[in-house]
Each structure stands twice: as C-alpha cells, then as structure tokens.
Amino acid sequence: MSDDTRTAAPSPEDVLRSARLLARAEAAVMALFAARVYELGWTVGSKLSGILDHVTLSCDAGHSTQVTPVTALHPKLGSTIVQAPEGSVFLLDPWMKHMAVPGATNLAAFPMALEECEHCARKRWEEAAHASFAAYAIETDLRILADATSANGYPGKEVRCLHGHEFTITAMDPRTPGRVPEGNYGFTTGPEGIGDPCVTCLSISQTPKLVEFRRRAREQSVMVLDPLSDRILQTVRLCCIAGHLTSVIINAGLKRELLCARCSGAGIRPEPTVYYVVTDGAMVKPGISSGDGRGRLDTHRSEHGLGQVRRLIVDLPVGAARDVERHVLDCLAGQDIRPVMGSEYFDAAHIGRVLELADGWFAANLPNSPWSVMA
C-alpha cells in the first residue's frame, strides 16, 4: 500500500478537539431538553447529568414519568446510541441497531419523544368535549332524552336520532380538537368524529337494499311510519301520497314498482280484522288474520297442533288487530318473556299473561267488541 493511500493516525490535538466537540454537543442536547421540558409544563425532579441518564419529570397535578434527554428530543434515537470508551456518545446508522455492538444501550423500552402529561391532556380534552356535547347533538340531529352512563363508564345520554332510533352515547363531542388517540370513549364515529353517531343509521347506510328502500320512498313521497332497523326482512308501515296505510316487508317491497301495495295493484292482502289466541298446552300463539280467521286457525292446527282456541275476535276496525298484536308482543318483550319459536310462539306457562294483556287492550279501546272462547 502506498503512502498516499495510508490513513494517518489522529494527532493529540485532533483527539482533544473531538472530545471538546462531543462535550459541546452533549451540552447543547441538555439545553434543548431543559427548554422542551419547560415548554411542556414539566418539572425536573432529579439531577441533570448525561444525555443517556434517566430523568424523572412531574407535572403540576403530580403525575410523573421517566425519560432520557436524548430520546425525549427525538423519537428514533433510542436504539441507535452506543456508549463510547471515552464516556461520551456517538450515533450509529439505523441498520446497525440489530447488530450485537459491545456496550450498546437499548432505549426502546423508554418513552421516546417527550409530550405534555397525557393524564392532564386527556382531562382537559374531556372537559372541553363534554362542554360542547349539546352543540354536537344539535348539529347531528340527536334529541337528548335522559342522562345515562356509556358502556365505557363515562357520562352518557339517552338520545334519539332523526330516524327514530334510540341509543346511549358518550356525552362528549368527538370532534373536539386535540383528542388523545389512546382514549377509548366508546364513540361510534371515527377518530375525528366523522360518521353517523347512530349505529343503526350507519349500518343502514352500508346496506344497499336499505339505501335503495329509503331512496324509493323519498321519490314516491311515501312516509315510512316505523323506525328502520338494519334488517331487510323488517315489516314497516307506510303511508303513500294517496293516503293509503299499508305495511310491507322491505325486501318484498323492493320487488314491486311501487312501494304502496294498494297503488301497485299487486300482492294486495286484505287488512287483518281478526285477533286470536291458540294453544296446545305446551305453546301459546297470539296472532292476527282476516275474514273469519278459520283458515289461519286450521293452518296452526295442522302444522303445530295448536287446536285449542282461547280467543277469537272478528270484524275489528281497520288497524285494531295490528294495534292489539303490537301491544301484546311489546308488553311481553318488556317483561323479558321471550318466544320459544319464531317471534310469536311462547311457552304455555305465559298464556294467562297473554290473555290478560289482550283483554285489557280490548276493555280500554273496544269495550263493546264481543269475542268467542272455545275450550
């Protein structure tokens, strides 16, 4: 090897100059660290020594954390620093962080870039978000019904959306700037409060058939009288522009040119004017039918053996049969009496309650309606 390509050994002056430069660099890092700590409202609780030494910080509320000055200033320096023999530090390229370097200090377990106290920041955000919840409810068409507690334990509200869905929501405005990313507040919207706060409406908006049903109802000036669920097999009541009151299964209604069964002239079923209660000793079924109801009763007898007729009320005014049916089923659901089959077949142990609810409705609404009782 020639003398031109040979690397000269560093002179004593160069070694001394390098040590001084490294010392100045460490002093600059410590000064930046002290300024950053002050800006974020922390107080240093231990002596500042080296840039790799742990420092305890505390906020005004008493929360504490432990960092090293160099990692508090830069989020990616922790795994690239090794201790030099002279006692100072120098940086390695990122690709060397996986190599077994003697004397390497792994700082990946410590907080990286220093931020303001997370606990205090979260509290300030929650206070601001709670204060602006009323405005958020107005702007997103939510009607506040009552106080509640959200699933995550935060103060909540019982609300109703513009489409009639009732649900519990955390009483905070998710759009408040500065939200703590790690905060799990149980919001149904995105991280910036984007999206529909109503889970049911959000599900409907993502179901093509339900979106199409809503669009066609608007185009045909048809009022949907029941809150839509997220099921295409839901039966909903409709009132068309001609004043017809009908009901339709959403999935079936989409197969017709017109949603209103009477206006479409197809698939028209007579309005139910019969209410009945049948049993076989093991199950009881309340239901509605049209005409004299005999055809429906024969079907129950042949298919499920429900041959004991306990109530049979005919010639009811239009709408009365559906009203008493809805009353009985809603009351049973409210008392946590669940069907044993389908949606209207209950354990026969509840037959007394079924008859009591039906008789009570007729006594209050149609006291002069006679009924037939067959044992």
Side-chain angles (χ1 to χ4, degrees):
M1 182 179 296
S2 64
D3 294 338
D4 295 337
T5 59
R6 189 176 301 150
T7 303
S11 65
E13 292 80 5
D14 291 336
V15 173
L16 180 60
R17 185 182 296 109
S18 298
R20 289 177 176 176
L21 290 175
L22 287 173
R24 290 178 184 176
E26 282 197 68
V29 170
M30 296 303 292
L32 288 173
F33 173 71
R36 180 64 174 161
V37 167
Y38 177 78
E39 291 172 356
L40 296 174
W42 293 100
T43 300
V44 178
S46 58
K47 181 181 178 181
L48 291 178
S49 52
I51 65 174
L52 290 178
D53 294 328
H54 302 155
V55 180
T56 300
L57 307 177
S58 60
C59 70
D60 293 338
H63 306 124
S64 62
T65 186
Q66 191 179 64
V67 297
T68 58
V70 68
T71 55
L73 295 174
H74 195 291
K76 296 183 179 179
L77 294 182
S79 59
T80 61
I81 299 177
V82 298
Q83 194 72 31
E86 293 83 0
S88 58
V89 298
F90 62 92
L91 302 182
L92 297 177
D93 291 332
W95 63 270
M96 295 186 68
K97 65 182 179 180
H98 300 295
M99 297 180 64
V101 181
T105 303
N106 183 11
L107 301 177
F110 300 107
M112 302 305 268
L114 182 64
E115 300 289 349
E116 60 181 333
C117 175
E118 180 180 335
H119 300 284
C120 295
R122 178 172 298 179
K123 183 179 179 180
R124 288 193 296 271
W125 185 92
E126 289 176 357
E127 291 174 350
H130 184 72
S132 61
F133 175 76
Y136 171 74
I138 293 173
E139 294 171 12
T140 53
D141 295 317
L142 297 179
R143 180 178 180 180
I144 299 175
L145 305 177
D147 293 332
T149 301
S150 67
N152 294 63
Y154 291 97
K157 297 289 184 181
E158 287 285 343
V159 298
R160 181 188 298 122
C161 76
L162 195 62
H163 297 286
H165 307 125
E166 296 184 3
F167 56 98
T168 300
I169 187 173
T170 307
M172 298 180 191
D173 184 353
R175 306 169 304 178
T176 304
R179 174 175 166 188
V180 181
E182 293 79 10
N184 182 12
Y185 300 98
F187 294 129
T188 58
T189 56
E192 302 299 329
I194 300 173
D196 200 316
C198 176
V199 177
T200 305
C201 288
L202 184 62
S203 179
I204 289 174
S205 68
Q206 296 171 351
T207 306
K209 285 191 174 182
L210 296 175
V211 173
E212 174 66 10
F213 183 82
R214 273 185 169 176
R215 184 190 66 79
R216 291 182 59 186
R218 288 194 300 268
E219 288 182 351
Q220 298 175 23
S221 299
V222 171
M223 276 195 303
V224 182
L225 303 180
D226 296 308
L228 293 181
S229 68
D230 55 357
R231 298 179 295 105
I232 63 174
L233 296 181
Q234 178 191 3
T235 299
V236 292
R237 292 174 298 169
L238 307 175
C239 180
C240 74
I241 195 172
H244 299 142
L245 294 174
T246 61
S247 61
V248 65
I249 298 175
I250 293 176
N251 196 40
L254 289 173
K255 298 176 183 178
R256 297 202 296 256
E257 183 177 354
L258 297 177
L259 293 178
C260 176
R262 294 189 177 186
C263 291
S264 68
I268 300 178
R269 295 182 179 180
E271 285 294 322
T273 56
V274 176
Y275 183 79
Y276 62 85
V277 179
V278 293
T279 182
D280 65 348
M283 290 192 301
V284 58
K285 183 192 183 303
I288 58 178
S289 184
S290 57
D292 60 5
R294 296 295 180 180
R296 183 65 62 87
L297 296 181
D298 289 342
T299 300
H300 290 315
R301 184 180 297 108
S302 61
E303 291 187 357
H304 302 294
L306 302 174
Q308 302 176 32
V309 182
R310 299 299 301 274
R311 292 290 186 272
L312 180 59
I313 308 170
V314 299
D315 298 327
L316 292 172
V318 174
R322 294 191 186 279
D323 288 342
V324 64
E325 179 188 45
R326 186 174 295 106
H327 170 75
V328 172
L329 295 179
D330 287 349
C331 288
L332 292 175
Q335 297 169 13
D336 204 28
I337 299 176
R338 304 299 179 187
V340 295
M341 182 176 72
S343 59
E344 298 176 351
Y345 294 83
F346 299 89
D347 191 290
H350 304 298
I351 188 171
R353 187 58 182 147
V354 171
L355 297 177
E356 179 184 358
L357 291 170
D359 294 349
W361 187 93
F362 282 110
N365 297 275
L366 298 171
N368 298 322
S369 291
W371 60 66
S372 301
V373 180
M374 300 181 181

